[in-house]
mmCIF file of all heavy atoms in Angstrom:
data_model
loop_
_atom_site.group_PDB
_atom_site.id
_atom_site.type_symbol
_atom_site.label_atom_id
_atom_site.label_comp_id
_atom_site.label_asym_id
_atom_site.label_seq_id
_atom_site.Cartn_x
_atom_site.Cartn_y
_atom_site.Cartn_z
ATOM 1 N N LEU A 1 11.788 -6.062 -1.479
ATOM 2 C CA LEU A 1 12.686 -6.113 -2.595
ATOM 3 C C LEU A 1 12.406 -7.260 -3.511
ATOM 4 O O LEU A 1 13.163 -7.586 -4.491
ATOM 5 C CB LEU A 1 14.088 -6.118 -2.167
ATOM 6 C CG LEU A 1 14.642 -4.916 -1.333
ATOM 7 C CD1 LEU A 1 16.082 -5.168 -0.887
ATOM 8 C CD2 LEU A 1 14.596 -3.659 -2.197
ATOM 9 N N GLN A 2 11.359 -8.029 -3.356
ATOM 10 C CA GLN A 2 11.130 -9.286 -4.050
ATOM 11 C C GLN A 2 11.043 -9.057 -5.494
ATOM 12 O O GLN A 2 11.338 -10.016 -6.319
ATOM 13 C CB GLN A 2 9.843 -9.998 -3.499
ATOM 14 C CG GLN A 2 8.550 -9.136 -3.727
ATOM 15 C CD GLN A 2 7.354 -9.797 -3.087
ATOM 16 O OE1 GLN A 2 6.682 -10.614 -3.701
ATOM 17 N NE2 GLN A 2 7.087 -9.429 -1.836
ATOM 18 N N SER A 3 10.615 -7.835 -6.022
ATOM 19 C CA SER A 3 10.497 -7.585 -7.510
ATOM 20 C C SER A 3 11.610 -6.721 -7.983
ATOM 21 O O SER A 3 11.465 -6.102 -9.051
ATOM 22 C CB SER A 3 9.119 -7.168 -7.859
ATOM 23 O OG SER A 3 8.854 -5.945 -7.185
ATOM 24 N N CYS A 4 12.673 -6.463 -7.223
ATOM 25 C CA CYS A 4 13.609 -5.407 -7.606
ATOM 26 C C CYS A 4 14.389 -5.736 -8.853
ATOM 27 O O CYS A 4 15.043 -4.882 -9.439
ATOM 28 C CB CYS A 4 14.568 -5.053 -6.461
ATOM 29 S SG CYS A 4 15.712 -6.403 -6.113
ATOM 30 N N ASP A 5 14.364 -6.978 -9.308
ATOM 31 C CA ASP A 5 15.086 -7.435 -10.481
ATOM 32 C C ASP A 5 14.147 -7.420 -11.699
ATOM 33 O O ASP A 5 14.563 -7.724 -12.859
ATOM 34 C CB ASP A 5 15.670 -8.818 -10.346
ATOM 35 C CG ASP A 5 14.689 -9.944 -10.042
ATOM 36 O OD1 ASP A 5 13.532 -9.524 -9.583
ATOM 37 O OD2 ASP A 5 14.897 -11.079 -10.266
ATOM 38 N N GLN A 6 12.908 -7.040 -11.586
ATOM 39 C CA GLN A 6 11.966 -6.963 -12.766
ATOM 40 C C GLN A 6 12.126 -5.674 -13.482
ATOM 41 O O GLN A 6 12.359 -4.590 -12.894
ATOM 42 C CB GLN A 6 10.491 -7.225 -12.220
ATOM 43 C CG GLN A 6 10.222 -8.521 -11.584
ATOM 44 C CD GLN A 6 8.804 -8.707 -11.086
ATOM 45 O OE1 GLN A 6 7.992 -7.745 -11.361
ATOM 46 N NE2 GLN A 6 8.581 -9.725 -10.320
ATOM 47 N N THR A 7 11.995 -5.759 -14.810
ATOM 48 C CA THR A 7 12.191 -4.599 -15.585
ATOM 49 C C THR A 7 10.961 -3.628 -15.438
ATOM 50 O O THR A 7 9.849 -4.054 -15.162
ATOM 51 C CB THR A 7 12.296 -4.907 -17.133
ATOM 52 O OG1 THR A 7 11.064 -5.742 -17.498
ATOM 53 C CG2 THR A 7 13.504 -5.801 -17.354
ATOM 54 N N GLY A 8 11.242 -2.362 -15.586
ATOM 55 C CA GLY A 8 10.182 -1.321 -15.563
ATOM 56 C C GLY A 8 9.809 -0.876 -14.085
ATOM 57 O O GLY A 8 8.968 -0.052 -14.043
ATOM 58 N N GLN A 9 10.479 -1.397 -13.146
ATOM 59 C CA GLN A 9 10.108 -0.965 -11.741
ATOM 60 C C GLN A 9 10.748 0.345 -11.440
ATOM 61 O O GLN A 9 11.845 0.669 -11.874
ATOM 62 C CB GLN A 9 10.611 -2.080 -10.794
ATOM 63 C CG GLN A 9 9.987 -3.388 -10.923
ATOM 64 C CD GLN A 9 8.531 -3.426 -10.475
ATOM 65 O OE1 GLN A 9 8.196 -2.926 -9.386
ATOM 66 N NE2 GLN A 9 7.690 -4.181 -11.217
ATOM 67 N N GLN A 10 10.102 1.149 -10.595
ATOM 68 C CA GLN A 10 10.563 2.479 -10.286
ATOM 69 C C GLN A 10 10.788 2.608 -8.772
ATOM 70 O O GLN A 10 11.849 3.093 -8.381
ATOM 71 C CB GLN A 10 9.570 3.542 -10.767
ATOM 72 C CG GLN A 10 9.426 3.590 -12.233
ATOM 73 C CD GLN A 10 8.412 4.649 -12.661
ATOM 74 O OE1 GLN A 10 7.249 4.449 -12.557
ATOM 75 N NE2 GLN A 10 8.974 5.772 -13.146
ATOM 76 N N MET A 11 9.805 2.243 -7.945
ATOM 77 C CA MET A 11 9.999 2.226 -6.522
ATOM 78 C C MET A 11 9.081 1.207 -5.886
ATOM 79 O O MET A 11 8.144 0.731 -6.470
ATOM 80 C CB MET A 11 9.842 3.632 -5.911
ATOM 81 C CG MET A 11 8.528 4.232 -6.006
ATOM 82 S SD MET A 11 8.463 5.905 -5.202
ATOM 83 C CE MET A 11 8.598 5.449 -3.474
ATOM 84 N N TRP A 12 9.304 0.981 -4.581
ATOM 85 C CA TRP A 12 8.621 -0.076 -3.883
ATOM 86 C C TRP A 12 8.297 0.408 -2.460
ATOM 87 O O TRP A 12 9.000 1.203 -1.888
ATOM 88 C CB TRP A 12 9.469 -1.315 -3.762
ATOM 89 C CG TRP A 12 9.895 -1.951 -5.079
ATOM 90 C CD1 TRP A 12 9.391 -2.924 -5.787
ATOM 91 C CD2 TRP A 12 11.090 -1.548 -5.853
ATOM 92 N NE1 TRP A 12 10.161 -3.305 -6.897
ATOM 93 C CE2 TRP A 12 11.178 -2.399 -6.964
ATOM 94 C CE3 TRP A 12 12.127 -0.620 -5.590
ATOM 95 C CZ2 TRP A 12 12.171 -2.273 -7.938
ATOM 96 C CZ3 TRP A 12 13.109 -0.471 -6.601
ATOM 97 C CH2 TRP A 12 13.169 -1.285 -7.660
ATOM 98 N N THR A 13 7.269 -0.109 -1.934
ATOM 99 C CA THR A 13 6.900 0.049 -0.513
ATOM 100 C C THR A 13 6.057 -1.143 -0.028
ATOM 101 O O THR A 13 5.902 -2.111 -0.750
ATOM 102 C CB THR A 13 6.200 1.353 -0.225
ATOM 103 O OG1 THR A 13 6.203 1.660 1.141
ATOM 104 C CG2 THR A 13 4.794 1.340 -0.776
ATOM 105 N N LEU A 14 5.660 -1.123 1.240
ATOM 106 C CA LEU A 14 4.953 -2.239 1.824
ATOM 107 C C LEU A 14 3.573 -1.879 2.367
ATOM 108 O O LEU A 14 3.369 -0.704 2.682
ATOM 109 C CB LEU A 14 5.785 -2.865 2.971
ATOM 110 C CG LEU A 14 7.089 -3.595 2.645
ATOM 111 C CD1 LEU A 14 7.767 -3.968 3.956
ATOM 112 C CD2 LEU A 14 6.881 -4.805 1.827
ATOM 113 N N CYS A 15 2.680 -2.809 2.412
ATOM 114 C CA CYS A 15 1.458 -2.622 3.120
ATOM 115 C C CYS A 15 1.186 -3.909 3.978
ATOM 116 O O CYS A 15 1.733 -4.931 3.764
ATOM 117 C CB CYS A 15 0.334 -2.374 2.106
ATOM 118 S SG CYS A 15 -0.194 -3.819 1.135
ATOM 119 N N LYS A 16 0.208 -3.679 4.894
ATOM 120 C CA LYS A 16 -0.230 -4.784 5.706
ATOM 121 C C LYS A 16 -1.704 -4.695 5.900
ATOM 122 O O LYS A 16 -2.247 -3.670 6.119
ATOM 123 C CB LYS A 16 0.491 -4.753 7.076
ATOM 124 C CG LYS A 16 0.148 -5.904 8.042
ATOM 125 C CD LYS A 16 0.844 -5.785 9.367
ATOM 126 C CE LYS A 16 0.485 -6.948 10.264
ATOM 127 N NZ LYS A 16 -0.932 -7.130 10.524
ATOM 128 N N THR A 17 -2.360 -5.871 5.918
ATOM 129 C CA THR A 17 -3.824 -5.929 6.112
ATOM 130 C C THR A 17 -4.113 -5.402 7.553
ATOM 131 O O THR A 17 -3.430 -5.767 8.536
ATOM 132 C CB THR A 17 -4.388 -7.365 5.942
ATOM 133 O OG1 THR A 17 -4.085 -7.808 4.635
ATOM 134 C CG2 THR A 17 -5.791 -7.342 6.247
ATOM 135 N N ILE A 18 -5.057 -4.492 7.664
ATOM 136 C CA ILE A 18 -5.451 -3.969 8.982
ATOM 137 C C ILE A 18 -6.277 -4.994 9.696
ATOM 138 O O ILE A 18 -7.294 -5.590 9.178
ATOM 139 C CB ILE A 18 -6.235 -2.650 8.812
ATOM 140 C CG1 ILE A 18 -5.309 -1.555 8.283
ATOM 141 C CG2 ILE A 18 -6.941 -2.271 10.126
ATOM 142 C CD1 ILE A 18 -6.012 -0.204 8.048
ATOM 143 N N GLU A 19 -5.847 -5.332 10.901
ATOM 144 C CA GLU A 19 -6.535 -6.375 11.714
ATOM 145 C C GLU A 19 -7.244 -5.738 12.921
ATOM 146 O O GLU A 19 -8.044 -6.443 13.565
ATOM 147 C CB GLU A 19 -5.499 -7.389 12.284
ATOM 148 C CG GLU A 19 -4.783 -8.110 11.072
ATOM 149 C CD GLU A 19 -3.676 -8.999 11.477
ATOM 150 O OE1 GLU A 19 -3.407 -9.030 12.746
ATOM 151 O OE2 GLU A 19 -3.076 -9.708 10.681
ATOM 152 N N ASN A 20 -6.965 -4.475 13.211
ATOM 153 C CA ASN A 20 -7.646 -3.795 14.259
ATOM 154 C C ASN A 20 -8.562 -2.785 13.632
ATOM 155 O O ASN A 20 -8.045 -1.840 13.090
ATOM 156 C CB ASN A 20 -6.661 -3.186 15.243
ATOM 157 C CG ASN A 20 -7.266 -2.365 16.361
ATOM 158 O OD1 ASN A 20 -8.488 -2.170 16.390
ATOM 159 N ND2 ASN A 20 -6.450 -1.854 17.255
ATOM 160 N N GLU A 21 -9.829 -2.950 13.786
ATOM 161 C CA GLU A 21 -10.836 -2.055 13.038
ATOM 162 C C GLU A 21 -10.613 -0.592 13.323
ATOM 163 O O GLU A 21 -10.849 0.255 12.479
ATOM 164 C CB GLU A 21 -12.286 -2.502 13.381
ATOM 165 C CG GLU A 21 -13.284 -1.806 12.540
ATOM 166 C CD GLU A 21 -14.658 -2.420 12.733
ATOM 167 O OE1 GLU A 21 -14.809 -3.455 13.345
ATOM 168 O OE2 GLU A 21 -15.579 -1.744 12.347
ATOM 169 N N ALA A 22 -10.169 -0.230 14.565
ATOM 170 C CA ALA A 22 -9.950 1.102 14.976
ATOM 171 C C ALA A 22 -8.905 1.786 14.051
ATOM 172 O O ALA A 22 -8.993 3.027 13.871
ATOM 173 C CB ALA A 22 -9.591 1.227 16.407
ATOM 174 N N GLU A 23 -8.021 1.038 13.537
ATOM 175 C CA GLU A 23 -6.948 1.590 12.676
ATOM 176 C C GLU A 23 -7.415 2.113 11.389
ATOM 177 O O GLU A 23 -6.811 2.966 10.751
ATOM 178 C CB GLU A 23 -5.814 0.605 12.426
ATOM 179 C CG GLU A 23 -5.030 0.232 13.629
ATOM 180 C CD GLU A 23 -3.845 -0.692 13.396
ATOM 181 O OE1 GLU A 23 -3.828 -1.261 12.295
ATOM 182 O OE2 GLU A 23 -2.930 -0.686 14.226
ATOM 183 N N ILE A 24 -8.612 1.639 10.956
ATOM 184 C CA ILE A 24 -9.217 2.103 9.676
ATOM 185 C C ILE A 24 -9.483 3.626 9.782
ATOM 186 O O ILE A 24 -9.339 4.376 8.804
ATOM 187 C CB ILE A 24 -10.558 1.385 9.408
ATOM 188 C CG1 ILE A 24 -10.269 -0.110 9.156
ATOM 189 C CG2 ILE A 24 -11.186 2.002 8.185
ATOM 190 C CD1 ILE A 24 -11.519 -0.929 9.111
ATOM 191 N N PHE A 25 -9.874 4.109 10.985
ATOM 192 C CA PHE A 25 -10.235 5.427 11.206
ATOM 193 C C PHE A 25 -9.174 6.333 11.804
ATOM 194 O O PHE A 25 -9.409 7.511 12.063
ATOM 195 C CB PHE A 25 -11.530 5.494 12.018
ATOM 196 C CG PHE A 25 -12.646 4.620 11.451
ATOM 197 C CD1 PHE A 25 -12.814 3.332 11.988
ATOM 198 C CD2 PHE A 25 -13.424 5.116 10.466
ATOM 199 C CE1 PHE A 25 -13.823 2.536 11.506
ATOM 200 C CE2 PHE A 25 -14.464 4.309 9.992
ATOM 201 C CZ PHE A 25 -14.597 2.971 10.404
ATOM 202 N N ALA A 26 -7.992 5.715 12.131
ATOM 203 C CA ALA A 26 -6.916 6.540 12.754
ATOM 204 C C ALA A 26 -6.176 7.389 11.776
ATOM 205 O O ALA A 26 -5.593 6.858 10.824
ATOM 206 C CB ALA A 26 -5.979 5.516 13.454
ATOM 207 N N SER A 27 -6.231 8.641 11.948
ATOM 208 C CA SER A 27 -5.580 9.568 10.967
ATOM 209 C C SER A 27 -4.062 9.576 10.977
ATOM 210 O O SER A 27 -3.433 10.037 9.990
ATOM 211 C CB SER A 27 -6.015 11.084 11.215
ATOM 212 O OG SER A 27 -5.630 11.436 12.503
ATOM 213 N N ASN A 28 -3.458 8.978 12.089
ATOM 214 C CA ASN A 28 -2.023 8.831 12.056
ATOM 215 C C ASN A 28 -1.532 7.633 11.288
ATOM 216 O O ASN A 28 -0.329 7.458 11.163
ATOM 217 C CB ASN A 28 -1.496 8.758 13.476
ATOM 218 C CG ASN A 28 -1.982 7.534 14.212
ATOM 219 O OD1 ASN A 28 -3.161 7.232 14.160
ATOM 220 N ND2 ASN A 28 -1.124 6.834 14.870
ATOM 221 N N ILE A 29 -2.459 6.885 10.775
ATOM 222 C CA ILE A 29 -2.154 5.612 9.985
ATOM 223 C C ILE A 29 -2.492 5.833 8.555
ATOM 224 O O ILE A 29 -3.706 6.117 8.241
ATOM 225 C CB ILE A 29 -2.815 4.436 10.565
ATOM 226 C CG1 ILE A 29 -2.253 4.074 11.938
ATOM 227 C CG2 ILE A 29 -2.616 3.217 9.615
ATOM 228 C CD1 ILE A 29 -2.944 2.928 12.607
ATOM 229 N N ALA A 30 -1.536 5.814 7.642
ATOM 230 C CA ALA A 30 -1.883 5.994 6.245
ATOM 231 C C ALA A 30 -2.418 4.661 5.691
ATOM 232 O O ALA A 30 -1.806 3.653 5.873
ATOM 233 C CB ALA A 30 -0.628 6.375 5.443
ATOM 234 N N LYS A 31 -3.513 4.814 4.974
ATOM 235 C CA LYS A 31 -4.093 3.689 4.285
ATOM 236 C C LYS A 31 -3.756 3.708 2.767
ATOM 237 O O LYS A 31 -3.419 4.729 2.268
ATOM 238 C CB LYS A 31 -5.685 3.660 4.496
ATOM 239 C CG LYS A 31 -6.085 2.979 5.777
ATOM 240 C CD LYS A 31 -5.805 3.739 7.062
ATOM 241 C CE LYS A 31 -6.601 5.038 7.131
ATOM 242 N NZ LYS A 31 -6.329 5.767 8.447
ATOM 243 N N ILE A 32 -3.901 2.593 2.151
ATOM 244 C CA ILE A 32 -3.465 2.441 0.747
ATOM 245 C C ILE A 32 -4.419 1.570 -0.033
ATOM 246 O O ILE A 32 -5.021 0.548 0.530
ATOM 247 C CB ILE A 32 -1.995 1.984 0.643
ATOM 248 C CG1 ILE A 32 -1.558 1.826 -0.750
ATOM 249 C CG2 ILE A 32 -1.891 0.585 1.381
ATOM 250 C CD1 ILE A 32 -0.039 1.471 -0.874
ATOM 251 N N VAL A 33 -4.737 1.987 -1.269
ATOM 252 C CA VAL A 33 -5.427 1.061 -2.227
ATOM 253 C C VAL A 33 -4.614 0.891 -3.418
ATOM 254 O O VAL A 33 -3.879 1.789 -3.842
ATOM 255 C CB VAL A 33 -6.851 1.651 -2.618
ATOM 256 C CG1 VAL A 33 -7.773 1.502 -1.389
ATOM 257 C CG2 VAL A 33 -6.724 3.136 -3.047
ATOM 258 N N CYS A 34 -4.636 -0.269 -4.049
ATOM 259 C CA CYS A 34 -3.746 -0.663 -5.193
ATOM 260 C C CYS A 34 -4.644 -1.129 -6.311
ATOM 261 O O CYS A 34 -5.741 -1.578 -6.143
ATOM 262 C CB CYS A 34 -2.816 -1.677 -4.736
ATOM 263 S SG CYS A 34 -1.674 -1.164 -3.439
ATOM 264 N N ASP A 35 -4.039 -1.190 -7.492
ATOM 265 C CA ASP A 35 -4.672 -1.835 -8.665
ATOM 266 C C ASP A 35 -4.401 -3.312 -8.636
ATOM 267 O O ASP A 35 -3.727 -3.801 -7.705
ATOM 268 C CB ASP A 35 -4.216 -1.130 -9.959
ATOM 269 C CG ASP A 35 -2.753 -1.364 -10.294
ATOM 270 O OD1 ASP A 35 -2.170 -2.302 -9.733
ATOM 271 O OD2 ASP A 35 -2.248 -0.629 -11.121
ATOM 272 N N LYS A 36 -4.900 -4.013 -9.582
ATOM 273 C CA LYS A 36 -4.843 -5.525 -9.510
ATOM 274 C C LYS A 36 -3.401 -5.938 -9.920
ATOM 275 O O LYS A 36 -3.103 -7.179 -9.641
ATOM 276 C CB LYS A 36 -5.804 -6.146 -10.534
ATOM 277 C CG LYS A 36 -5.486 -5.872 -12.040
ATOM 278 C CD LYS A 36 -6.550 -6.604 -12.853
ATOM 279 C CE LYS A 36 -6.263 -6.379 -14.323
ATOM 280 N NZ LYS A 36 -7.302 -7.084 -15.151
ATOM 281 N N TRP A 37 -2.510 -5.080 -10.274
ATOM 282 C CA TRP A 37 -1.098 -5.394 -10.529
ATOM 283 C C TRP A 37 -0.267 -5.039 -9.370
ATOM 284 O O TRP A 37 0.983 -5.140 -9.409
ATOM 285 C CB TRP A 37 -0.569 -4.749 -11.789
ATOM 286 C CG TRP A 37 -1.325 -5.139 -13.040
ATOM 287 C CD1 TRP A 37 -1.125 -6.396 -13.750
ATOM 288 C CD2 TRP A 37 -2.384 -4.521 -13.663
ATOM 289 N NE1 TRP A 37 -2.011 -6.394 -14.775
ATOM 290 C CE2 TRP A 37 -2.756 -5.337 -14.758
ATOM 291 C CE3 TRP A 37 -2.983 -3.253 -13.478
ATOM 292 C CZ2 TRP A 37 -3.804 -4.889 -15.678
ATOM 293 C CZ3 TRP A 37 -4.001 -2.917 -14.320
ATOM 294 C CH2 TRP A 37 -4.401 -3.685 -15.420
ATOM 295 N N GLY A 38 -0.844 -4.602 -8.239
ATOM 296 C CA GLY A 38 -0.064 -4.247 -7.104
ATOM 297 C C GLY A 38 0.609 -2.917 -7.111
ATOM 298 O O GLY A 38 1.515 -2.620 -6.332
ATOM 299 N N LYS A 39 0.091 -2.018 -7.968
ATOM 300 C CA LYS A 39 0.622 -0.604 -7.958
ATOM 301 C C LYS A 39 -0.284 0.258 -7.130
ATOM 302 O O LYS A 39 -1.508 0.159 -7.199
ATOM 303 C CB LYS A 39 0.659 -0.147 -9.410
ATOM 304 C CG LYS A 39 1.648 -0.869 -10.261
ATOM 305 C CD LYS A 39 3.093 -0.675 -9.908
ATOM 306 C CE LYS A 39 4.153 -1.163 -10.859
ATOM 307 N NZ LYS A 39 4.175 -2.613 -11.075
ATOM 308 N N ALA A 40 0.247 1.196 -6.403
ATOM 309 C CA ALA A 40 -0.549 2.090 -5.579
ATOM 310 C C ALA A 40 -1.414 2.975 -6.429
ATOM 311 O O ALA A 40 -0.930 3.570 -7.433
ATOM 312 C CB ALA A 40 0.381 2.900 -4.694
ATOM 313 N N LEU A 41 -2.657 3.090 -6.018
ATOM 314 C CA LEU A 41 -3.542 4.019 -6.626
ATOM 315 C C LEU A 41 -3.624 5.263 -5.833
ATOM 316 O O LEU A 41 -3.667 6.430 -6.314
ATOM 317 C CB LEU A 41 -4.959 3.400 -6.721
ATOM 318 C CG LEU A 41 -5.180 2.248 -7.773
ATOM 319 C CD1 LEU A 41 -6.514 1.618 -7.588
ATOM 320 C CD2 LEU A 41 -4.993 2.836 -9.240
ATOM 321 N N TYR A 42 -3.668 5.127 -4.459
ATOM 322 C CA TYR A 42 -3.809 6.300 -3.605
ATOM 323 C C TYR A 42 -3.458 5.932 -2.140
ATOM 324 O O TYR A 42 -3.629 4.790 -1.720
ATOM 325 C CB TYR A 42 -5.282 6.892 -3.630
ATOM 326 C CG TYR A 42 -5.347 8.279 -3.050
ATOM 327 C CD1 TYR A 42 -4.725 9.380 -3.668
ATOM 328 C CD2 TYR A 42 -6.009 8.519 -1.871
ATOM 329 C CE1 TYR A 42 -4.805 10.633 -3.127
ATOM 330 C CE2 TYR A 42 -6.063 9.803 -1.304
ATOM 331 C CZ TYR A 42 -5.442 10.852 -1.935
ATOM 332 O OH TYR A 42 -5.511 12.134 -1.427
ATOM 333 N N PHE A 43 -2.921 6.953 -1.441
ATOM 334 C CA PHE A 43 -2.705 6.808 -0.022
ATOM 335 C C PHE A 43 -3.565 7.885 0.674
ATOM 336 O O PHE A 43 -3.665 9.000 0.121
ATOM 337 C CB PHE A 43 -1.211 7.132 0.326
ATOM 338 C CG PHE A 43 -0.223 6.112 -0.306
ATOM 339 C CD1 PHE A 43 0.146 6.402 -1.596
ATOM 340 C CD2 PHE A 43 0.382 5.148 0.462
ATOM 341 C CE1 PHE A 43 1.132 5.495 -2.148
ATOM 342 C CE2 PHE A 43 1.309 4.344 -0.093
ATOM 343 C CZ PHE A 43 1.706 4.541 -1.415
ATOM 344 N N SER A 44 -4.048 7.585 1.844
ATOM 345 C CA SER A 44 -4.874 8.578 2.622
ATOM 346 C C SER A 44 -4.864 8.284 4.142
ATOM 347 O O SER A 44 -4.706 7.108 4.520
ATOM 348 C CB SER A 44 -6.300 8.557 2.060
ATOM 349 O OG SER A 44 -7.108 9.523 2.775
ATOM 350 N N ARG A 45 -5.044 9.378 4.798
ATOM 351 C CA ARG A 45 -5.230 9.270 6.258
ATOM 352 C C ARG A 45 -6.652 8.896 6.633
ATOM 353 O O ARG A 45 -6.965 8.518 7.692
ATOM 354 C CB ARG A 45 -4.766 10.545 6.950
ATOM 355 C CG ARG A 45 -3.308 10.817 6.748
ATOM 356 C CD ARG A 45 -2.847 11.989 7.631
ATOM 357 N NE ARG A 45 -1.486 12.300 7.379
ATOM 358 C CZ ARG A 45 -0.430 11.710 7.964
ATOM 359 N NH1 ARG A 45 -0.627 10.703 8.844
ATOM 360 N NH2 ARG A 45 0.811 12.041 7.650
ATOM 361 N N SER A 46 -7.543 9.062 5.658
ATOM 362 C CA SER A 46 -8.989 8.725 5.816
ATOM 363 C C SER A 46 -9.127 7.183 5.444
ATOM 364 O O SER A 46 -8.218 6.600 4.766
ATOM 365 C CB SER A 46 -9.824 9.548 4.869
ATOM 366 O OG SER A 46 -9.741 10.925 5.250
#
């Protein structure tokens, strides 16, 4: 919720850096890439 008071926000979620290399390839774990402003570009099980 750190930016919930900023104008123009619609919704928020969290991500964490993967520290276990096996998780990169685990299909039960959704991965995410973002733009330079911290907005989600895509989520994938791949």
Side-chain angles (χ1 to χ4, degrees):
L1 298 175
Q2 62 186 272
S3 62
C4 71
D5 59 339
Q6 294 179 9
T7 58
Q9 298 288 319
Q10 295 180 285
M11 65 176 290
W12 303 263
T13 194
L14 292 175
C15 73
K16 183 182 182 299
T17 300
I18 291 178
E19 299 174 357
N20 178 352
E21 190 173 344
E23 291 186 342
I24 299 171
F25 306 97
S27 62
N28 64 313
I29 294 175
K31 274 70 69 174
I32 182 173
V33 288
C34 299
D35 66 20
K36 67 179 182 180
W37 297 281
K39 296 293 193 292
L41 289 171
Y42 194 68
F43 298 80
S44 181
R45 298 186 183 278
S46 297

